[in-house]
Amino acid sequence: MGLFGKKNKLKDQAANGVQASSAPNQNTDYWTCAKCGTHNSKSSMSCKDCGAYK
């Protein structure tokens, strides 16, 4: 791949960053468990439903 592939990756990441920053700012007070999909408080380290960690 060499240096040229790395430059393309950096361009892609920069483009994705611009798109993400143009999205509305979403301040949430919860995180979603990847295992079961339950919403949990930001301050908790484990899921209240299944016990999985952040």
Side-chain angles (χ1 to χ4, degrees), residues 12-35:
D12 291 343
Q13 288 175 351
N16 288 340
V18 170
Q19 291 172 354
S21 65
S22 64
N25 190 4
Q26 295 179 356
N27 291 332
T28 56
D29 293 332
Y30 63 87
W31 59 274
T32 304
C33 177
K35 188 175 179 182

Side-chain angles (χ1 to χ4, degrees), residues 2 9 15 27 38:
K9 283 184 182 178
N27 291 332
T38 302

